[in-house]
Amino acid sequence: MKITSTSCICPVLVCLCFVQRCYGTTHHGSIRGTRNQTKHIEGETEVHHRPKRGWVWNQFFVLEEHMGPDPQYVGKLHSNSDKGDGSVKYILTGEGAGTIFIIDDTTGDIHSTKSLDREQKTHYVLHAQAIDRRTNKPLEPESEFIIKVQDINDNAPKFTDGPYIVTVPEMSDMGTSVLQVTATDADDPTYGNSARVVYSILQGQPYFSVDPKTEHYQLYVPESAQVGSAVGKIKANDADTGSNADMTYSIINGDGVGIFSISTDKETREGILSLKKPLNYEKKKSYTLNIEGANTHLDFRFSHLGPFKDATMLKIIVGDVDEPPLFSMPSYVMEVYENAKIGTVVGTVLAQDPDSANSLVRYFIDYNAEDDRFFNIDANTGTIKTTKVLDREETPWYNITVAASENDNPSLLSHVTVGIRVLDVNDNPPELAREYDIVVCENSKPGQVIHTISATDKDDFANGPRFNFFLDEHLSINPNFTLKDNEDNTASILTRRRRFSRTIQDVYYLPIMISDGGIPSLSSSSTLTIRVCACERDGRVRTCHAEAFLSSAGLSTGALIAILLCVVILLAIVVLFITLRRSKKEPLIISEEDVRENVVTYDDEGGGEEDTEAFDITALRNPSAAEELKYRRDIRPEVKLTPRHQTLSTLESIDVQEFIKQRLAEADLDPSVPPYDSLQTYAYEGQRSEAGSISSLDSATTQSDQDYQYLGDWGPEFKTLAELYGEIESERTT
């Protein structure tokens, strides 16, 4: 590679400015949005995002300083869901929507209605949405895109400093550097040559000249550029070809050495300028880099023609971008006690506008539609408060997302995660860990451990263990069982006595108390049910009557007693009713006019009218039926009385009253009678009344004026009786 004094490596700058988010690089022509990923420039990895349904952008540029009579066509929004029937409605929001940019809601065409100035605003961030015209439901998720203002050469270069005053020593050699001047151009350095500055001397020739090689290049980089992304390219021309034209680029000095880096693309022989650290327009608005390009293959035969390298100055202009508010912390963690009153302050978040405008910031909580809203935030101060009473045992931790936006541009949002830990208070008493089936063997010994119990607490560890187990001091000492606290959050059930019997009592109850270690301490009571079972010698249970249960889990003792009492009362009523039914008797005489002889009423039908032996009253008048003394079988008599023998005539003439008196006296004097009362029943009717006896006994020997003719009127059933009394009456008459 041969270099003369008039032809050296001439750097030519080609700058590409990238402002990328999730929408990818924008350029002219039709671009169809991918469904799952966004491709970045070479060297960058794929970034996956939420799938979107086929948005199509046709154009993203608008020419500045447009002076035409009609609105300038910008681009077209189109969704794959649009079938061309007008059912899809396109909506445009964001910077300049409705004022600078308008959209045809049917076709999706976007037009610019005003003349724009790229030097005032380089791009606009807008949001597109497609909805169903009939239902107003979204057909596509809202998508963000950028309309860039395309530059025209409408700005003259300006010297950053001046006027310049320098001194030159006399007798200086020709070619001595006197001064380096710098001029900038406000036009877009990434588009065309509008921002390229060419220097020339208007006055001072032929004593002074300006070297066009020392002109500097300018690169515009927005402060929103991502770290690690390529922000520009630079290329040096070499008249050689092949490997002799290979070169490498490096940054030799400048105030942007720590902010930018440069690498060499061996295929295109370009220098790729990348961002090493984030930019901030409000802190530093420009950087200067001295970039050197040098040949990699040197031929020492031509070393005297060197050096085979060249340098140029690159000035980087940091572009101001309207950024969303910036939170003071990347995330927040706050705490609040459970059961706190509604409106309790949880904490405060802080966000500020990083731009020089320092716009006011408003806050809100980004809730999903199905989320319960336990907190709210003051829109002006960022103070978070409770809207409901919190329960740590139900939800110990809440994660909410707080968003902040500028009052001047609500579309620019920033989000931060706020974790809220619910602190515990001792509001839950301890309880048994489970329902215990406690069994005591009939052959148990005193002091024997028959079961071990434990407890749980819904509160946090600080308000739960250690647990204390004890018996209620207000109750009398249980003679059968006791409780021993093992001091390891468990307790043992021990027997107090020897031997238990299922036949005597098969279930025992043991009330216990449990307290926790919280401040203040809480306690609860439970009742254990202990079953008595028959066991083998090795302690294995052979048989039981009932299963153990906690009285709190089933019926209470009072309820069981009430149920048993009701059952006993019902049984007593049934027994009484049956007894009354059996003891109830019909009267012997149905009516006063019924004077039939030997009429006895039974529950059975008997033998009919001809059955005259149903009851023989002569047995009452015949003491011979009881002539032999009947001794009691439950005692052994010491004296036997001689049976009394009376003649038949004596028995026939004895009076019934006298007979009864005689028997009563014999019973009083009988030494074989037990010392307790004895009831003997005799069928004595008592003394005669003044009206006389109504009995028909001895009626055959007495005269009667009774008329029995009416018996014939009683019907066929009394025919025999009427004939009988009719014969008797006729005999009396004769």
Side-chain angles (χ1 to χ4, degrees), residues 36-108:
N36 291 325
Q37 61 190 16
T38 299
K39 287 285 187 178
H40 292 267
I41 64 175
E42 55 272 16
E44 295 194 1
T45 58
E46 296 181 358
V47 180
H48 292 264
H49 301 284
R50 185 174 62 184
K52 297 183 178 176
R53 295 173 50 192
W55 278 110
V56 178
W57 317 126
N58 284 340
Q59 187 177 353
F60 295 93
F61 290 91
V62 59
L63 190 64
E64 71 167 333
E65 305 295 348
H66 177 70
M67 305 302 293
D70 298 325
Q72 182 181 186
Y73 180 77
V74 178
K76 182 180 183 66
L77 300 180
H78 182 72
S79 170
N80 287 342
S81 302
D82 190 352
K83 306 302 181 182
D85 55 359
S87 61
V88 178
K89 181 180 180 180
Y90 296 95
I91 299 175
L92 189 67
T93 58
E95 295 179 330
T99 57
I100 300 175
F101 303 102
I102 59 174
I103 186 172
D104 188 321
D105 62 1
T106 302
T107 64

Side-chain angles (χ1 to χ4, degrees), residues 9-14 193 196 217 233-237 249 312:
I9 300 176
C10 181
V12 178
L13 177 66
V14 181
N193 296 320
R196 185 174 182 179
Y217 297 90
K233 298 179 181 180
I234 189 171
K235 185 176 182 179
N237 294 327
Y249 298 89
T312 188

Side-chain angles (χ1 to χ4, degrees), residues 404-711:
S405 65
E406 298 179 10
N407 285 353
D408 298 338
N409 190 358
S411 62
L412 290 178
L413 298 175
S414 59
H415 298 81
V416 69
T417 300
V418 179
I420 300 176
R421 180 187 297 111
V422 182
L423 301 178
D424 185 47
V425 296
N426 193 19
D427 58 346
N428 290 277
E431 57 187 13
L432 290 176
R434 57 184 177 88
E435 295 182 359
Y436 289 97
D437 182 14
I438 303 178
V439 172
V440 60
C441 295
E442 290 182 316
N443 56 356
S444 297
K445 299 178 180 180
Q448 180 176 344
V449 177
I450 61 174
H451 209 91
T452 301
I453 60 175
S454 60
T456 60
D457 197 317
K458 294 180 180 180
D459 290 321
D460 198 8
F461 184 83
N463 290 319
R466 130 145 169 80
F467 297 121
N468 295 315
F469 299 83
F470 54 95
L471 299 177
D472 192 348
E473 298 177 354
H474 300 88
L475 300 178
S476 59
I477 298 177
N478 192 307
N480 304 305
F481 304 96
T482 186
L483 183 70
K484 177 185 177 183
D485 192 338
N486 297 327
E487 298 184 354
D488 60 354
N489 297 323
T490 65
S492 299
I493 308 299
L494 293 83
T495 57
R496 279 184 176 270
R497 63 181 179 88
R498 183 188 306 272
R499 302 234 174 235
F500 294 85
S501 176
R502 290 176 298 156
T503 58
I504 298 177
Q505 185 172 349
D506 60 349
V507 177
Y508 291 87
Y509 301 99
L510 180 64
I512 65 172
M513 301 288 291
I514 311 172
S515 64
D516 59 24
I519 300 175
S521 177
L522 295 180
S523 62
S524 64
S525 62
S526 297
T527 301
L528 297 174
T529 300
I530 305 174
R531 296 184 297 158
V532 180
C533 298
C535 303
E536 303 291 346
R537 291 185 176 180
D538 57 0
R540 291 180 301 167
V541 177
R542 185 170 68 247
T543 179
C544 296
H545 287 295
E547 295 182 358
F549 62 95
L550 286 173
S551 63
S552 60
L555 293 175
S556 63
T557 304
L560 292 175
I561 294 176
I563 294 174
L564 293 176
L565 183 61
C566 293
V567 173
V568 171
I569 293 174
L570 289 176
L571 291 176
I573 293 175
V574 172
V575 172
L576 180 61
F577 178 78
I578 295 174
T579 303
L580 292 176
R581 286 289 304 272
R582 290 183 177 179
S583 62
K584 184 178 180 180
K585 296 182 179 180
E586 296 292 337
L588 295 177
I589 304 301
I590 297 177
S591 65
E592 294 181 357
E593 298 181 355
D594 189 357
V595 292
R596 291 171 291 176
E597 184 178 355
N598 259 4
V599 177
V600 180
T601 302
Y602 296 94
D603 289 338
D604 54 352
E605 295 183 357
E609 293 184 357
E610 297 181 357
D611 186 5
T612 59
E613 297 181 358
F615 177 77
D616 187 6
I617 199 173
T618 58
L620 182 63
R621 298 179 58 85
N622 186 11
S624 62
E627 62 183 7
E628 294 185 1
L629 182 63
K630 305 295 182 179
Y631 292 99
R632 292 175 57 89
R633 295 182 181 183
D634 57 342
I635 62 173
R636 185 174 182 178
E638 297 179 356
V639 180
K640 293 186 178 180
L641 297 178
T642 302
R644 294 178 299 275
H645 296 282
Q646 297 181 359
T647 62
L648 179 61
S649 61
T650 305
L651 294 174
E652 291 180 351
S653 62
I654 193 170
D655 183 66
V656 174
Q657 182 177 7
E658 293 297 330
F659 173 79
I660 292 175
K661 291 181 179 181
Q662 181 181 353
R663 289 290 186 265
L664 179 60
E666 292 177 357
D668 293 338
L669 299 176
D670 191 352
S672 63
V673 175
Y676 45 80
D677 294 340
S678 177
L679 177 64
Q680 299 187 21
T681 304
Y682 300 94
Y684 174 61
E685 295 183 357
Q687 297 181 353
R688 296 177 180 270
S689 64
E690 296 180 358
S693 176
I694 62 173
S695 174
S696 60
L697 299 177
D698 299 331
S699 59
T701 59
T702 59
Q703 299 295 328
S704 175
D705 57 354
Q706 181 70 32
D707 185 6
Y708 298 101
Q709 297 298 325
Y710 64 90
L711 296 177

Side-chain angles (χ1 to χ4, degrees), residues 13 15-19 118 122-123 148 187-190 218-227 229-233 259-260 273-281 284-287 289 314-321:
L13 177 66
C15 299
L16 299 178
C17 177
F18 300 93
V19 182
R118 193 205 68 84
T122 60
H123 63 277
K148 295 188 67 177
D187 291 324
D188 189 359
T190 66
Q218 183 173 303
L219 175 64
Y220 174 86
V221 180
E223 63 176 332
S224 59
Q226 300 297 316
V227 174
S229 63
V231 295
K233 298 179 181 180
I259 306 298
F260 299 92
L273 195 66
S274 302
L275 186 63
K276 293 173 59 177
K277 294 182 179 180
L279 301 176
N280 191 326
Y281 173 83
K284 191 171 180 61
K285 297 177 174 58
S286 65
Y287 295 89
L289 297 176
L314 175 63
K315 184 173 184 179
I316 300 175
I317 305 300
V318 180
D320 186 18
V321 177

